[in-house]
Amino acid sequence: MVPMPEAFDAVDVIVAKRDRRELSDAQIRWVIDAYTRGVVAEEQMSALAMAVLLNGMTRREIATWTAAMIASGERMDFSSLQRPTADKHSTGGVGDMITLPLAPLVAVFGVAVPQLSGRGLGHTGGTLDKLESIPGWRAALSNDEMLAQLDGVGAVICAAGSGLAPADKKLYALRDVTGTVEAIPLIASSIMSKKIAEGTGALVLDVKVGSGAFMKNLDRARELAETMVDLGTDAGVRTVALLTAMDTPLGRAAGNAIEVSQAIDVLAGGGPADVVELTVALAQEMLAAAGRGGQDVAAALTDGRAMDAWRAMIAAQGGDPDATLPVARHAETVVAPTSGVLSRLDAYAVGVAAWRLGAGRARKEDPVQAGAGVVMHAKPGDPVRAGEPLLTLHTDTPERFERAIEALDGEWEIAPAGTSIETGPLILGRVARD
Ligand code: URA
């Protein structure tokens, strides 16, 4: 049989975007479909991604691009559930383990949380890598298992199946190696295609801003948030975004098991104040977007209800909530050289250090070390004393210490005692189409 001729030529599409012209809906639908089929070559898509990064896309182009990525795969359907659904997505940061306490916390209030999560790549951690440090826990669930868990426990954190937005999987891997990750239209369509295909009724986006985030300044973060909120709203998903600070790590740990342990502290009513603040704020937004607002969310962290939901969620996926978490075989401490107040601790540097210690991976197929990472004994604004620990570095492979310490060199500062440190708010803004 003679193959059907293709509707467009990839070079014409690339040239149009290179020359700052708007792509038609038909061109966009074709290019995404033909790329998924392997007809548009990797080098052609990489040229197009670079043209998009340099020249941008209109709101219509982004919406069509997102819809085409959704159409490249399956859509999930939670309409058989008796409760509303709400999900959260973070654009990625250092020490960001908020999903772990957040999903069970929201489930306490009768809203189901279908949290499809990813693995870490580069300096930002991945939720699945963190949870896999719990003995027995498994990330891969079938759609039926996921639905059953949402019906019973009310919360599930698992890997997205390969059928969800396959065009994005291919394109994301390509962007990662062609310097085109940072394009706002591509980030927004990548995140929202997966979230819309997942079928959640409500979505809260945590758009990180600062050195440890993709978006280094507030204007670009707001533009990304607005683009994603528009995409979600137009697709019928109640979508809200919070803009949150990521100049310094969240919480006091960056790694896998050490972040799980911190999440358990939060679920037990303790934990670092910034993690609690953000968990409560995101839970309130998720509940409001799902039509269950106005609840005393913080109480469920202190009275054990969120912990009960966590234990049920972990056990439902084969994990042992009582198991001792893995501890790295070696530790090295960075001590404060002088007394004073910690005035700066850079999020990106801590993320890179944790990554180099083995908490993250350099290539997708690399294993991660469950116990590796950085524990922070002080955060900006805290007093420190000469000779006392500032950071503890953990790894199973001590030859990694040198490069991890190098990453931290010059990335923290101590001001004289009594200096007042302006740490700034954690929540920098909110974007919604109310
Ligand atoms: N996360 C995604 O899923 N896609 C992006 O493009 C960036 C972050």
Side-chain angles (χ1 to χ4, degrees):
M1 241 173 52
V2 182
M4 289 281 287
E6 293 293 329
F8 296 94
D9 185 332
V11 178
D12 293 340
V13 180
I14 297 164
V15 166
K17 191 39 74 185
R18 183 199 68 189
D19 294 347
R20 298 171 192 268
R21 277 182 272 131
E22 258 191 61
L23 303 181
S24 70
D25 289 345
Q27 279 177 314
I28 293 172
R29 284 192 207 106
W30 174 80
V31 85
I32 296 290
D33 175 57
Y35 176 59
T36 312
R37 288 185 284 120
V39 168
V40 169
E42 296 290 348
E43 59 271 24
Q44 292 176 312
M45 192 48 129
S46 108
L48 181 58
M50 185 57 81
V52 170
L53 181 135
L54 296 172
N55 296 332
M57 289 207 283
T58 62
R59 181 170 167 179
R60 179 198 55 77
E61 286 177 292
I62 301 172
T64 307
W65 186 281
T66 307
M69 296 223 289
I70 296 168
S72 73
E74 63 176 9
R75 286 187 81 147
M76 297 186 71
D77 180 10
F78 298 127
S79 58
S80 62
L81 290 175
Q82 300 303 309
R83 11 181 166 188
T85 49
D87 193 1
K88 185 261 326 188
H89 181 87
S90 157
T91 55
V94 180
D96 184 3
M97 34 50 77
I98 298 287
T99 296
L100 274 52
L102 180 65
L105 175 61
V106 169
V108 165
F109 297 95
V111 171
V113 185
Q115 182 79 53
L116 297 181
S117 296
R119 294 180 192 283
L121 191 67
H123 77 281
T124 62
T127 300
L128 301 181
D129 294 329
K130 297 175 212 234
L131 284 167
E132 277 174 349
S133 64
I134 301 174
W137 187 86
R138 93 192 143 90
L141 297 185
S142 68
N143 288 0
D144 286 347
E145 284 174 317
M146 193 177 169
L147 263 178
Q149 190 170 326
L150 284 172
D151 217 11
V153 176
V156 59
I157 303 175
C158 65
S162 57
L164 214 69
D168 176 64
K169 282 204 176 60
K170 241 183 124 176
L171 182 54
Y172 190 83
L174 180 71
R175 288 166 55 212
D176 200 35
V177 294
T178 55
T180 51
V181 168
E182 286 83 357
I184 287 177
L186 299 181
I187 298 177
S189 56
S190 165
I191 292 173
M192 295 307 292
S193 62
K194 287 172 286 201
K195 291 295 161 184
I196 296 166
E198 167 200 287
T200 186
L203 175 65
V204 176
L205 298 159
D206 180 3
V207 179
K208 301 282 184 206
V209 192
S211 75
F214 283 130
M215 298 292 118
K216 308 292 181 203
N217 71 61
L218 192 56
D219 287 346
R220 276 184 56 78
R222 191 176 292 282
E223 187 186 335
L224 175 63
E226 284 172 352
T227 307
M228 292 196 289
V229 168
D230 285 344
L231 284 171
T233 307
D234 290 352
V237 180
R238 286 177 303 282
T239 310
V240 175
L242 293 185
L243 301 165
T244 70
M246 186 36 74
D247 277 316
T248 203
L250 202 55
R252 289 178 174 264
N256 296 308
I258 54 178
E259 286 192 44
V260 172
S261 162
Q262 186 175 266
I264 293 171
D265 291 344
V266 172
L267 289 157
D274 56 348
V275 176
V276 176
E277 180 188 345
L278 191 53
T279 304
V280 168
L282 289 167
Q284 280 164 338
E285 292 287 357
M286 286 168 77
L287 292 171
R292 301 273 170 100
Q295 316 244 19
D296 184 357
V297 170
L301 288 175
T302 49
D303 65 16
R305 281 175 294 160
M307 179 68 95
D308 290 345
W310 158 264
R311 293 174 62 83
M313 180 182 83
I314 294 302
Q317 287 172 248
D320 176 0
D322 296 314
T324 307
L325 293 169
V327 176
R329 286 196 287 276
H330 302 271
E332 195 156 310
T333 303
V334 175
V335 297
T338 53
S339 296
V341 189
L342 188 69
S343 54
R344 189 173 78 89
L345 176 60
D346 184 72
Y348 180 71
V350 173
V352 172
W355 176 27
R356 290 183 179 174
L357 289 164
R361 49 172 73 74
R363 290 169 311 159
K364 274 204 198 63
E365 49 290 349
D366 290 349
V368 297
Q369 292 183 20
V374 179
V375 171
M376 292 155 262
H377 302 286
K379 294 284 295 284
D382 289 347
V384 295
R385 289 170 60 135
E388 290 194 348
L390 206 54
L391 304 163
T392 303
L393 280 54
H394 298 268
T395 183
D396 291 332
T397 37
E399 61 275 17
R400 292 173 178 262
F401 280 129
E402 194 180 332
R403 293 210 60 226
I405 289 171
E406 228 172 76
L408 293 162
D409 199 26
E411 300 298 345
W412 49 268
E413 279 162 34
I414 296 173
T419 312
S420 130
I421 306 299
E422 187 47 73
T423 49
L426 180 60
I427 299 175
L428 305 167
R430 181 177 185 274
V431 175
R433 301 281 177 243
D434 295 329

